[in-house]
Amino acid sequence: MTSITGGQAVVESLKAEGVDTMFGLIGSAGMEVFDALHDAAPQLRFIGVRDERTGVHMADGYARASGRAGVFLAGQNGPGATNLVTGLAQASAANSPVVALAGSLSSAHIYRDAFQEVDQQALFRPVTKKTWTLTQAARIPEMMREAFRSALTPRRGPVLLNLPRDLLAEALTESAPWQPAGRQFDGEYTGTAAALDEAARLLSNAQRPLILAGGGVKNSRCHAEVLALAERLDVPVAMSPGHGDALPCTQRLYAGQVGPRGNPVATDLMRRADLILALGTRLGFNTTFYSHEYLNPQARIIQVEADPVAIGRFFPVSLGVAGTARETVRALFERLAQHQPNAEVRQWTAEFIAARAEMLARQDREAGDAGEPIQPGFLFKTLREVLPDDAMYTMDAGTLCLQATDQMRYLQPPALFTPLDFGLVGFSYACGLGVKLAHPKRPVISLMGDGGFGMAHSEIGTAVEHGIATVCIVMNNGCWGAEKAYQRDFFGRRFIGADVPNPPYDKLAKLWGAAGFRVDRAAILAETVAEAVACGRPAVVDVMVDPEALYSFRRDSFKHRTAQG
């Protein structure tokens, strides 16, 4: 038997879980772990970041893109740990399996108003699936196994383990092989046979059926099974916002994203459907605004959710199936082996296909030509034409990214990563770095507004240091676009705090050692984007878009005010 430190035990646990890439920011409370990481290279690659918040976004992107846990180590207690809150809240909203490890002050100093003391146990409880504080060095393997198990079992989500610095320095006996918790949840389960029989009957009898695919479809990578069921039923498949890549967008039955931030054709389907098979979706805020304005109040709903608490939470359902999307779809496919769509269903789907084709043609027509100033629609059309089929996209919150979400082409799932219901600005660039590390051979395009990029551009240094060659397209309109639109439309153009003076981001990128490009004329947009993608280096493309092209998304929030613009 040999003796190792608590810090070494943490790293051995990570290796046992099969972790080969992790993120972190060095700090004195976690020095024992960082020292052990030195010996773990190159088996375990450590990506040092510039800020804990953006580092967690990297781990979040890595987790969503890889399907495995994303690991982040905050080396400093107090401020180093508090910086994690926003990133973990974002991961929680996305059900992203992030395992966060936070250095903590020495056990003997707790409750003494010690240097950088904060109650980290209480702080993280509201924004994680589970938070622990290590109490004995000998329990490190146990606690690490539990962290991965909790993060990866349904419903997935972020966890945080506080690691007091004295326990990381303590010696413990290495007496047994390191056992992983199991990096995947293998116990696929689905509802009762009776529930599945009833679901099949309802689908067979519907006249205007719709499949609504959510995060449960995307995260389980079961697009092939969903598409097979849709083809058997001859039913359109729409997606909840942020999951437009749940199916490849070129499929005949692909409708795109629904709701207030989706496209009109997909949203019209949900308003008119008499039966909705909701797969792996909570029917939450971004999908419905909790309103029947976007969902037919007479529609019968079959809701399939791994988390039984989510079934019927926001809308009454005709049938709830507590289970995973993959296994439920497989079971329905078998039960519907002899199904033949009726004439009403075929007419419903034919009308949808014609309407979507017209919408896409209109989208291109309305994008305009290569005029100045550059319009958002023209930018999106150019990206559709220039970017490769295997591109992966990360996006921020804000109106420009919200407009872009349903306009990109998602051909190879997974391909879209957004802040989802947390609506976080400053997310996209760092998330893209994590996505790229999970899929190094695929192009990763991060779309951001200029304000959001201003929050995250220090991570260009991380991209350059580690050779993470993403392309960030900054849609630069010199303002916080959503809020300026509200001030224009509902507050009499009384602008305050909405304008954002920025440095030339292309030059800033070059100062960091990245490739920088500036686009101030529509005529050079396509060739510049193509050059950035082909350069093989971390790249930033600063695109000057029309500052007047603003749109008020949340008009419902200002019904109490008279529109003034």
Side-chain angles (χ1 to χ4, degrees):
M1 294 190 294
T2 59
S3 177
I4 62 172
T5 67
Q8 290 172 316
V10 169
V11 173
E12 289 302 316
S13 296
L14 293 172
K15 289 161 60 178
E17 294 295 336
V19 176
D20 56 19
T21 301
M22 66 178 291
F23 308 86
L25 202 161
I26 196 166
S28 63
M31 290 305 296
E32 296 287 348
V33 181
F34 287 100
D35 186 65
L37 284 170
H38 185 276
D39 293 331
Q43 177 185 348
L44 203 171
R45 184 183 185 187
F46 176 75
I47 306 294
V49 306
R50 306 307 172 102
D51 182 87
E52 290 89 354
R53 175 182 66 86
T54 45
V56 175
H57 297 334
M58 293 180 207
D60 182 356
Y62 181 90
R64 291 198 234 172
S66 68
R68 303 165 60 194
V71 181
F72 185 85
L73 171 61
Q76 194 60 37
N77 57 282
T82 60
N83 284 345
L84 299 175
V85 172
T86 299
L88 290 173
Q90 168 60 66
S92 180
N95 302 123
S96 184
V98 172
V99 173
L101 308 172
S104 181
L105 76 165
S106 293
S107 305
H109 293 168
I110 296 175
Y111 307 130
R112 288 183 169 178
D113 296 328
F115 179 63
Q116 296 181 327
E117 181 174 5
V118 65
D119 187 347
Q120 295 176 195
Q121 180 72 25
L123 179 68
F124 292 110
R125 191 176 293 118
V127 295
T128 60
K129 186 177 176 183
K130 188 170 182 179
T131 294
W132 309 259
T133 296
L134 181 69
T135 56
Q136 300 174 21
R139 298 186 68 186
I140 287 174
E142 171 197 348
M143 294 292 187
M144 293 290 289
R145 285 195 299 271
E146 180 67 8
F148 279 84
R149 190 192 72 84
S150 295
L152 288 164
T153 50
R155 170 179 299 266
R156 290 183 168 197
V159 300
L160 182 131
L161 176 61
N162 292 303
L163 301 170
R165 62 167 66 198
D166 57 314
L167 300 184
L168 294 176
E170 188 174 312
L172 64 153
T173 300
E174 184 182 11
S175 57
W178 297 88
Q179 298 295 327
R183 293 184 291 278
Q184 295 282 10
F185 175 72
D186 297 319
E188 294 277 17
Y189 60 93
T190 192
T192 64
L196 292 166
D197 289 343
E198 177 64 7
R201 187 189 70 80
L202 290 171
L203 287 165
S204 296
N205 294 332
Q207 295 185 349
R208 300 185 307 280
L210 173 68
I211 295 175
L212 178 63
V217 172
K218 172 178 171 176
N219 294 338
S220 62
R221 311 291 197 261
C222 65
H223 51 276
E225 289 92 336
V226 173
L227 182 61
L229 177 63
E231 290 286 359
R232 176 160 287 180
L233 294 167
D234 197 29
V235 171
V237 184
M239 293 88 195
S240 58
H243 302 303
D245 58 333
L247 264 68
C249 68
T250 51
Q251 296 297 327
R252 181 179 72 97
L253 297 172
Y254 179 95
Q257 295 167 96
V258 301
R261 294 166 181 171
N263 72 68
V265 171
T267 301
D268 182 64
L269 290 173
M270 198 160 75
R271 285 172 171 151
R272 297 172 55 216
D274 65 350
L275 179 75
I276 298 172
L277 175 60
L279 293 172
T281 172
R282 292 165 288 180
L283 296 172
F285 177 78
N286 273 344
T287 303
T288 64
F289 275 6
Y290 308 127
S291 165
H292 279 110
E293 180 181 354
Y294 302 97
L295 187 152
N296 182 3
Q298 277 75 52
R300 306 193 74 172
I301 299 173
I302 304 171
Q303 189 176 7
V304 178
E305 254 295 332
D307 180 6
V309 176
I311 296 176
R313 182 181 179 191
F314 303 123
F315 296 93
V317 299
S318 298
L319 181 66
V321 179
T324 61
R326 180 190 299 275
E327 291 302 304
T328 301
V329 167
R330 286 176 175 171
L332 290 174
F333 185 79
E334 292 175 1
R335 282 166 168 77
L336 292 162
Q338 305 303 316
H339 175 76
Q340 293 294 325
N342 59 40
E344 290 84 0
V345 171
R346 292 196 182 281
Q347 179 66 23
W348 158 257
T349 299
E351 290 175 356
F352 148 70
I353 290 172
R356 178 163 174 84
E358 169 54 28
M359 183 197 75
L360 295 177
R362 184 174 64 251
Q363 199 174 68
D364 281 346
R365 289 195 305 269
E366 293 176 352
D369 54 18
E372 273 75 45
I374 298 171
Q375 297 302 308
F378 179 78
L379 170 61
F380 304 148
K381 178 186 177 184
T382 301
L383 296 179
R384 289 195 298 271
E385 294 171 346
V386 171
L387 294 175
D389 288 349
D390 61 343
M392 306 175 84
Y393 299 87
T394 67
M395 298 193 189
D396 244 31
T399 54
L400 287 170
C401 285
L402 289 172
Q403 292 175 68
T405 302
D406 203 61
Q407 295 215 32
M408 297 297 99
R409 299 172 71 246
Y410 311 116
L411 275 78
Q412 296 183 21
L416 174 63
F417 306 87
T418 79
L420 300 173
D421 285 6
F422 199 56
L424 180 65
V425 173
F427 166 81
S428 177
Y429 183 63
C431 175
L433 300 182
V435 170
K436 182 68 173 179
L437 286 168
H439 291 273
K441 295 183 179 180
R442 292 179 64 178
V444 175
I445 313 299
S446 295
L447 297 180
M448 302 190 81
D450 50 307
F453 189 63
M455 295 180 173
H457 59 67
S458 64
E459 298 299 352
I460 300 174
T462 300
V464 170
E465 178 184 358
H466 297 282
I468 311 172
T470 65
V471 177
C472 184
I473 297 177
V474 181
M475 299 175 286
N476 194 333
N477 60 7
C479 66
W480 299 106
E483 288 68 30
K484 192 165 187 177
Y486 300 142
Q487 289 175 341
R488 178 197 64 190
D489 294 344
F490 300 101
F491 294 88
R493 305 182 70 86
R494 291 159 56 84
F495 298 120
I496 181 171
D499 293 314
V500 186
N502 299 304
Y505 284 134
D506 57 315
K507 294 182 179 179
L508 183 65
K510 291 176 181 178
L511 287 172
W512 278 108
F517 305 85
R518 181 179 179 86
V519 177
D520 52 16
R521 293 181 295 115
I524 66 170
L525 177 60
E527 64 184 78
T528 304
V529 171
E531 184 181 355
V533 173
C535 78
R537 299 166 55 201
V540 175
V541 184
D542 198 5
V543 182
M544 305 299 111
V545 298
D546 186 359
E548 298 299 320
L550 304 176
Y551 179 76
S552 294
F553 264 94
R554 293 298 313 278
R555 302 185 77 86
D556 61 302
S557 295
F558 300 101
K559 291 179 180 178
H560 62 289
R561 302 189 71 92
T562 302
Q564 302 176 40

